[in-house]
Amino acid sequence: NAGVTQTPKFQVLKTGQSMTLQCAQDMNHEYMSWYRQDPGMGLRLIHYSVGAGITDQGEVPNGYNVSRSTTEDFPLRLLSAAPSQTSVYFCASSSLAHGGPRDEQFFGPGTRLTVL
Amino acid sequence: GNSVTQMEGPVTLSEEAFLTINCTYTATGYPSLFWYVQYPGEGLQLLLKATKADDKGSNKGFEATYRKETTSFHLEKGSVQVSDSAVYFCALTDQAGTALIFGKGTTLSVSS
């Protein structure tokens, strides 16, 4: 079991460029989510999904798109990167209970993104 | 909506010292409460959890009790080790139960 994997580990973009952060899990979890971690801000939820074909916005969705075509994958797209999106991005997954994450969420190792 | 406040760090301790990291919450209903830990260069891992009032979560010598009367979930450990150096996050389920809300994190540094 690889758990939750994220690629790339590091990325540097120029303002206005687009890119996709990849996230995959092999635990057959229905619930997947994306967070960003900024100094002094903790983790903030960007988008989440409760199953294939279903996504919803979190606390800070602006500037990010997601899709969920399979149970395993949950990519995060930056359409036009801005310096304010410089952050560490974490993907997480869990099984589902009552429409939300069941207790423990499993986190990937993170992607450190710098936008110049 | 639901929110969580935890003490700001950094917390610096000597090995074998007693640790308390305070966490208080504001919530509608009865959220589940969690402590997650992030070791340097890694993602977050669940440390312990409590799902109802008066529950005590425990793991690796860490404990926290779900106190509804004081809306608190303080993390404690009787004797910290250098290997406990990490960032600790208090979290709770949001009002809709669809996501977790995290505190800002407390950095713990333990020296030998």
Side-chain angles (χ1 to χ4, degrees):
Chain A
N1 262 2
V4 180
T5 58
Q6 292 183 236
T7 55
K9 209 169 175 58
F10 301 95
Q11 183 70 49
V12 178
L13 291 178
K14 294 181 180 177
T15 298
Q17 287 185 317
S18 63
M19 80 159 295
T20 299
L21 279 62
Q22 302 292 345
C23 174
Q25 52 91 9
D26 61 0
M27 296 172 281
N28 203 31
H29 284 162
E30 301 97 330
Y31 184 92
M32 295 186 75
S33 55
W34 277 102
Y35 293 87
R36 60 178 288 173
Q37 183 179 27
D38 302 293
M41 301 291 291
L43 275 79
R44 293 181 292 169
L45 182 67
I46 304 172
H47 285 285
Y48 67 94
S49 168
V50 297
I54 306 169
T55 63
D56 208 343
Q57 297 180 352
E59 180 187 354
V60 288
N62 292 343
Y64 307 96
N65 276 358
V66 292
S67 60
R68 183 98 179 268
S69 56
T70 67
T71 299
E72 295 78 19
D73 301 297
F74 191 44
L76 178 72
R77 278 181 286 277
L78 284 71
L79 298 178
S80 179
S84 60
Q85 294 179 304
T86 293
S87 187
V88 181
Y89 292 85
F90 289 101
C91 179
S93 75
S94 76
S95 52
L96 204 59
H98 308 295
R102 177 189 292 278
D103 292 349
E104 179 173 9
Q105 290 201 40
F106 294 84
F107 282 79
T111 294
R112 185 174 294 275
L113 175 68
T114 301
V115 182
L116 303 176
Chain B
N2 294 359
S3 65
V4 60
T5 303
Q6 62 182 103
M7 65 184 284
E8 294 191 19
V11 174
T12 304
L13 296 173
S14 299
E15 208 165 24
E16 299 183 5
F18 184 85
L19 168 71
T20 299
I21 300 178
N22 290 338
C23 172
T24 57
Y25 67 90
T26 302
T28 302
Y30 305 97
S32 294
L33 301 175
F34 307 86
W35 278 101
Y36 278 80
V37 59
Q38 183 180 30
Y39 297 104
E42 298 182 9
L44 280 70
Q45 305 171 25
L46 179 67
L47 181 60
L48 54 83
K49 68 182 183 188
T51 57
K52 62 183 187 296
D54 299 324
D55 266 3
K56 177 187 281 189
S58 61
N59 187 23
K60 300 181 181 179
F62 291 89
E63 292 182 341
T65 301
Y66 190 163
R67 301 278 188 207
K68 198 167 188 307
E69 62 277 10
T70 54
T71 62
S72 64
F73 192 56
H74 304 322
L75 182 69
E76 296 182 335
K77 186 175 186 183
S79 176
V80 293
Q81 305 301 311
V82 172
S83 57
D84 294 326
S85 298
V87 182
Y88 292 82
F89 293 91
C90 187
L92 79 167
T93 48
D94 70 356
Q95 195 167 343
T98 54
L100 290 183
I101 298 171
F102 287 86
K104 295 182 179 181
T106 302
T107 300
L108 170 65
S109 179
V110 181
S111 56
S112 58

